[in-house]
Amino acid sequence: EIASCLVGSEMCIRDSSYIDPNRDIEDIDPEMLSQPWPGELKPSEKTRLGIGLIWRHSGQNGRKPIYDRLLTPAEVQARIDTYHKPYHAAMREQIEAAYARFGGVWHLNLHSMPANSYEGLQIESDHPLADFVLGDRDGTTCSPEFIDVVAGSLRRQGYSCLLYTSPSPRDKRQS
C-alpha cells in the first residue's frame, strides 16, 4: 500500500494566480504584456483558458479579470526569478535528496480545485467532481501503470478519482 511507504515534504506557492509553479516559464500570454517578451513564448491551452504562468482571470467561472493593466516583461521576469525558479530549485534539491536516500522518488503534485472546476476548464460532465484528479501532463510525467497504482490505492480508501491522462484531456475516465 502506498501510504505505508510515504516519506514526504511539502512545498507551496500560496497564490498560483500570481505565478503558477505548475506552468513552464515560456507559458506566458503575450496579450498580458505591455511590451514584447525578450525571449521565446510557448502559450499552452492553459494560457488560452486564462490560467497560464500568470493568470489572466479568476472568480466566478474563471472570467473575472485580475489585472486592470498590462504587465511589463520586467515584472513577469521578477516573478519568475523570485518565486518560480527558487521553487523549482528547492523541489529539485528535495527530489535529489530523496532519490539519494531511497533510490527512487514518487513526486505527487497535489492542489485543491474550486467547486466550479468543470466550468472554468470548459469541460462538460454529468459526473460530480472527483475527490482526486490524477494526471500525467499529457503522458510526460509518469506511466499509466503508476496512475493506476495511485488511483487503486485511493479507491480502496473510498475516494473517487478522475484520470486526466494522455493522449488527450478529453479522454477521461471517472470512478
Side-chain angles (χ1 to χ4, degrees), residues 23 41 43 52 58-59 84 88-89 106 110 121 146 148 163 165:
R23 305 289 181 261
L41 294 180
S58 69
H84 196 277
H88 284 274
W106 291 343
L110 307 172
L121 293 172
F146 180 74
D148 289 342
L163 306 182
T165 61

Side-chain angles (χ1 to χ4, degrees), residues 18 29-35 54-57 64-79:
Y18 187 73
D29 184 347
E31 294 182 19
M32 292 181 65
L33 300 176
S34 63
Q35 301 165 12
I54 308 290
W55 289 17
R56 175 185 288 274
H57 306 290
K64 179 180 176 188
I66 293 174
Y67 302 99
D68 61 0
R69 64 178 180 80
L70 298 176
L71 302 175
T72 68
E75 287 177 281
V76 174
Q77 187 63 55
R79 292 181 191 191

Side-chain angles (χ1 to χ4, degrees), residues 3 51 61 135 144 158 160 165:
I51 54 173
N61 296 326
S160 63
T165 61

Side-chain angles (χ1 to χ4, degrees), residues 23-171:
R23 305 289 181 261
D24 292 328
I25 59 173
E26 297 89 9
D27 194 0
I28 297 171
D29 184 347
E31 294 182 19
M32 292 181 65
L33 300 176
S34 63
Q35 301 165 12
W37 186 253
E40 183 179 5
L41 294 180
K42 296 179 185 174
S44 71
E45 175 66 7
K46 298 292 187 180
T47 292
R48 187 191 70 75
L49 293 171
I51 54 173
L53 181 67
I54 308 290
W55 289 17
R56 175 185 288 274
H57 306 290
S58 69
Q60 185 64 26
N61 296 326
R63 296 295 172 246
K64 179 180 176 188
I66 293 174
Y67 302 99
D68 61 0
R69 64 178 180 80
L70 298 176
L71 302 175
T72 68
E75 287 177 281
V76 174
Q77 187 63 55
R79 292 181 191 191
I80 291 168
D81 294 342
T82 304
Y83 300 102
H84 196 277
K85 286 183 178 180
Y87 174 89
H88 284 274
M91 182 171 52
R92 188 171 29 263
E93 182 179 301
Q94 289 186 18
I95 288 172
E96 288 172 1
Y99 186 84
R101 181 174 176 196
F102 300 106
V105 174
W106 291 343
H107 169 212
L108 302 178
N109 181 347
L110 307 172
H111 53 92
S112 62
M113 299 293 285
N116 66 345
S117 293
Y118 287 158
E119 294 171 35
L121 293 172
Q122 300 174 355
I123 295 172
E124 293 183 25
S125 177
D126 57 353
H127 295 285
L129 286 173
D131 296 314
F132 288 87
V133 179
L134 305 176
D136 63 3
R137 198 172 182 200
D138 299 321
T140 63
T141 59
C142 66
S143 69
E145 294 82 9
F146 180 74
I147 291 275
D148 289 342
V149 167
V150 174
S153 177
L154 291 168
R155 288 179 183 129
R156 284 190 296 279
Q157 295 176 62
Y159 296 107
S160 63
C161 295
L162 175 67
L163 306 182
Y164 197 79
T165 61
S166 62
S168 164
R170 304 292 177 236
D171 299 330

